[in-house]
């Protein structure tokens, strides 16, 4: 199929190169949460936050394995939304697709504002909103031109993040071994010398799981992006096989060095972020500038992915007639330009709400996305359970399989359900769960109402044709 034919049929072009998908799979999970936000989890659970990250990471590994099994068997830009449609019904695909789209639409203004804040600190003569607008506009334009542009931007963003983490691990490792000159910290004593390894008890570790879990949101994007590559099955398989070492290296080892080199109750962990606190303790010059540069790259990468992912999910919903038909239109390069513009427009409305509406409005909007990651994971697990049984019954041969089916799938479902119940009774996360639950019920209701209206129109059309037929 040529590119022109693809565009005429409103299909996506397969212009992502293997190196694009490979680097996206390696660094797609790395966001500002690792460099800054991890400080909140550390201050909550102490050195035992390593258990929290390990538990959350293990969940992501299992979810990715299930998702990869479905994606290798049937690559699709709608990914888990399409699989939920097939496994659980039209309402499920509709609901999780729109929830996921909403999540990434809200990420766009958050990341753009974070980038604008950093740039404003460097060049205060330009207002934050101007930086926010300019960055969002630039990345929107590049996403409109071709998926290759998204892949190229993300390749370099991801490469810079990976290089930054490797350098951090090398310097921190040297400090732990006492090989870093002028460092004010070394060794592993802070893992236990400040009220022990688990200073705030197991409850704090469980609570920190809720915080760390959302750091991994974005790992699943590779199954969406791979649908626009030449060999999606191979790309998804390679990405999923590498997810274990990626989480172990980038998150667990990084956090290990942080809690080993600075006491978990250091005020700077929350106020400045984990990386800046550790770099300062190691007496690294220009620690704040270094972290700001890394975070700027991370948020721009996340913003770029948010624009891409939200547009592809909207495109997929439109192809399934669960979103406006215009959203499935593509240009000559096979890019769903209407879906990109609609997603960006929704993000700009969120930006306007952030600046013009009372703060409680934007805070409520953010709260509605608070538990979407867990709902996405739950739907992936349940969809996998159903589709695997259907495929086995049909005698299909699967080239990529989930481990220990169905036992591990059921364990994953039970774990996610337990976390959701804990959130319901946790004052810190209760509002997020209730807001997300309210939004979910609204979308489910909308799905059922639209479906009923469609069935009514079809019935009316059928009887009208019957009555007008002379025979």
């Amino acid at each position: 199929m040529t590119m022109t034919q693809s565009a005429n049929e409103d299909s996506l072009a397969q212009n992502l190169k293997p190196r694009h998908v490979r680097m996206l799979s390696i660094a797609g999970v790395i966001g500002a949460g690792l460099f800054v936000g991890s400080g909140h989890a550390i201050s909550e659970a102490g050195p035992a936050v390593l258990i929290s990250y390990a538990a959350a990471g293990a969940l992501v590994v299992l979810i990715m394995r299930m998702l990869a099994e479905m994606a290798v068997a049937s690559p699709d830009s709608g990914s888990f939304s399409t699989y939920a449609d097939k496994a659980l019904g039209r309402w499920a695909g509709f609901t999780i697709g729109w929830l996921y789209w909403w999540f990434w639409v809200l990420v766009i203004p958050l990341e753009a504002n974070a980038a604008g804040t950093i740039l404003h600190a460097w060049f205060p003569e330009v207002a934050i909103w101007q930086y926010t607008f300019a960055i969002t506009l630039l990345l929107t334009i590049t996403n409109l031109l071709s998926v290759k542009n998204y892949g190229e931007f993300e390749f370099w963003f991801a490469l810079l993040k990976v290089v930054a983490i490797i350098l951090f691990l090398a310097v921190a490792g040297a400090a732990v071994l006492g090989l870093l000159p002028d460092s004010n910290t070394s060794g592993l004593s802070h893992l236990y010398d400040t009220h022990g390894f688990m200073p705030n008890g197991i409850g704090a570790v469980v609570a920190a799981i809720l915080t760390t879990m959302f750091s991994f949101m974005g790992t699943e994007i590779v199954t969406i992006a791979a649908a626009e590559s030449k060999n999606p099955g191979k790309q998804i398989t390679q990405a999923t096989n590498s997810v274990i070492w990626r989480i172990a290296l980038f998150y667990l080892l990084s956090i290990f060095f942080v809690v080993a080199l600075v006491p978990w109750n250091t005020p700077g962990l929350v106020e400045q972020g984990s990386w800046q606190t550790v770099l300062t303790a190691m007496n690294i010059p220009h620690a704040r500038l270094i972290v700001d540069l890394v975070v700027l790259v991370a948020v721009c990468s996340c913003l770029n992915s948010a624009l891409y992912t939200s547009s592809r999910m909207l495109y997929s919903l439109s192809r399934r007639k669960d979103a406006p038909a215009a959203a499935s239109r593509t240009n000559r390069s096979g890019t769903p330009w209407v879906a990109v513009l609609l997603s960006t427009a929704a993000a700009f409305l969120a930006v306007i709400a952030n600046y013009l509406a009372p703060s409680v409005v934007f805070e409520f909007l953010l709260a509605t996305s608070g538990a979407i990651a867990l709902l996405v994971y739950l739907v992936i697990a349940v969809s996998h359970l159903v589709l695997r049984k259907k495929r086995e019954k049909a005698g299909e041969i699967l080239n990529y399989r989930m481990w220990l089916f169905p036992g591990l799938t059921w364990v994953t479902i039970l774990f996610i359900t337990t976390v959701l119940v804990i959130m319901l009774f946790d004052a810190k996360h209760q509002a997020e769960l209730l807001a997300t639950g309210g939004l979910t019920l609204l979308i489910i209701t909308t799905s059922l109402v639209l479906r009923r209206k469609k069935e009514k129109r079809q019935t009316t059309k059928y009887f009208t044709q019957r009555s007008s037929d002379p025979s």
Side-chain angles (χ1 to χ4, degrees):
M1 183 180 289
T2 66
M3 194 177 296
T4 304
Q5 288 173 325
S6 177
N8 289 338
E9 296 174 13
D10 285 338
S11 298
L12 300 176
Q14 294 178 324
N15 286 336
L16 282 179
K17 298 179 180 180
R19 66 180 175 87
H20 293 154
V21 181
R22 194 179 307 116
M23 190 55 74
L24 173 64
S25 69
I26 291 173
V29 72
I30 305 170
L34 172 61
F35 312 115
V36 180
S38 55
H40 292 272
I42 294 170
S43 66
E44 188 173 25
V49 74
L50 289 168
I51 299 174
S52 304
Y53 272 100
L59 172 65
V60 172
V61 168
L62 295 177
I63 290 296
M64 278 300 297
R65 188 82 187 186
M66 292 181 229
L67 182 56
E69 180 187 301
M70 296 183 287
V72 169
S74 178
D76 194 283
S77 61
S79 189
F80 49 82
S81 174
T82 305
Y83 309 141
D85 195 320
K86 295 177 181 178
L88 307 175
R90 188 75 170 269
W91 67 272
F94 180 98
T95 302
I96 207 64
W98 278 108
L99 282 173
Y100 194 69
W101 175 84
W102 177 241
F103 176 89
W104 286 110
V105 161
L106 284 182
V107 165
I108 294 171
L110 282 177
E111 302 298 339
N113 188 70
T117 301
I118 293 172
L119 291 171
H120 177 72
W122 295 346
F123 309 103
E125 61 273 11
V126 180
I128 293 177
W129 74 266
Q130 292 174 316
Y131 284 121
T132 300
F133 179 81
I135 293 170
T136 306
L137 184 63
L138 172 64
L139 291 178
T140 298
I141 292 172
T142 61
N143 271 269
L144 282 171
L145 296 177
S146 170
V147 69
K148 184 179 177 181
N149 289 326
Y150 160 73
E152 201 62 34
F153 266 85
E154 198 54 36
F155 175 84
W156 291 106
F157 283 147
L159 183 60
L160 289 170
K161 289 189 291 185
V162 170
V163 169
I165 291 178
I166 291 174
L167 289 175
F168 173 80
L169 294 177
V171 174
V176 166
L177 296 173
L179 302 176
L180 188 66
D182 302 323
S183 176
N184 296 325
T185 181
S186 63
L188 303 174
S189 61
H190 292 312
L191 287 170
Y192 54 83
D193 67 1
T194 310
H195 308 297
F197 178 73
M198 194 181 293
N200 297 322
I202 189 65
V205 175
V206 173
I209 291 176
L210 304 178
T211 304
T212 58
M213 196 171 294
F214 302 109
S215 300
F216 296 110
M217 190 67 169
T219 314
E220 71 291 335
I221 293 176
V222 69
T223 63
I224 297 174
E228 293 182 72
S229 65
K230 297 291 185 183
N231 192 343
K234 180 181 178 181
Q235 302 298 334
I236 292 169
T237 300
Q238 290 178 343
T240 306
N241 288 340
S242 68
V243 72
I244 296 177
W245 71 258
R246 283 185 283 133
I247 290 176
L249 178 65
F250 297 144
Y251 275 90
L252 291 180
L253 190 56
S254 294
I255 300 301
F256 172 80
F257 283 143
V258 172
V259 295
L261 291 171
V262 295
W264 64 270
N265 55 358
T266 303
L269 286 170
V270 175
E271 298 168 2
Q272 301 170 352
S274 54
W275 266 42
Q276 185 175 334
T277 303
V278 173
L279 291 176
T280 301
M282 291 188 294
N283 212 20
I284 302 296
H286 311 294
R288 180 173 179 179
L289 177 61
I290 293 171
V291 173
D292 281 350
L293 285 169
V294 173
V295 171
L296 180 61
V297 171
V299 297
C300 286
S301 171
C302 192
L303 172 58
N304 193 38
S305 292
L307 285 165
Y308 171 81
T309 308
S310 58
S311 65
R312 269 38 177 197
M313 186 56 70
L314 187 59
Y315 166 84
S316 176
L317 286 166
S318 177
R319 295 278 286 186
R320 286 176 275 148
K321 303 186 186 304
D322 285 335
S328 63
R329 293 177 185 171
T330 59
N331 57 22
R332 290 182 179 180
S333 63
T335 301
W337 63 277
V338 176
V340 173
L341 290 177
L342 288 175
S343 298
T344 306
F348 273 123
L349 289 176
V351 171
I352 293 171
N354 187 25
Y355 281 101
L356 300 182
S359 59
V360 67
V361 174
F362 192 67
E363 288 173 5
F364 173 75
L365 294 179
L366 290 180
T368 61
S369 68
I372 288 178
L374 282 171
L375 290 182
V376 168
Y377 293 161
L378 183 61
V379 167
I380 289 172
V382 175
S383 298
H384 172 257
L385 190 68
V386 174
L387 289 180
R388 174 69 171 269
K389 289 182 177 179
K390 285 184 177 181
R391 288 191 167 111
E392 287 182 344
K393 189 175 181 180
E396 289 187 35
I397 298 176
L398 297 173
N399 296 320
Y400 197 79
R401 291 171 173 267
M402 170 62 179
W403 305 301
L404 300 176
F405 179 84
L408 269 183
T409 302
W410 275 114
V411 169
T412 304
I413 292 171
L414 179 62
F415 179 80
I416 297 171
T417 304
T418 302
V419 172
L420 288 170
V421 172
I422 291 173
M423 286 183 70
L424 183 61
F425 295 98
D426 185 344
K428 292 182 180 178
H429 299 279
Q430 189 178 64
E432 295 175 1
L433 181 62
L434 293 176
T436 302
L439 179 62
T440 302
L441 289 175
L442 177 62
I443 295 176
I444 291 174
T445 303
T446 302
S447 170
L448 296 176
V449 169
L450 291 176
R451 184 175 179 180
R452 184 169 296 179
K453 285 185 177 181
K454 185 177 180 180
E455 290 175 349
K456 188 176 181 181
R457 285 196 302 268
Q458 290 175 339
T459 302
T460 302
K461 183 179 179 180
Y462 171 77
F463 283 111
T464 301
Q465 290 176 340
R466 287 288 300 270
S467 62
S468 61
D469 188 352
S471 60

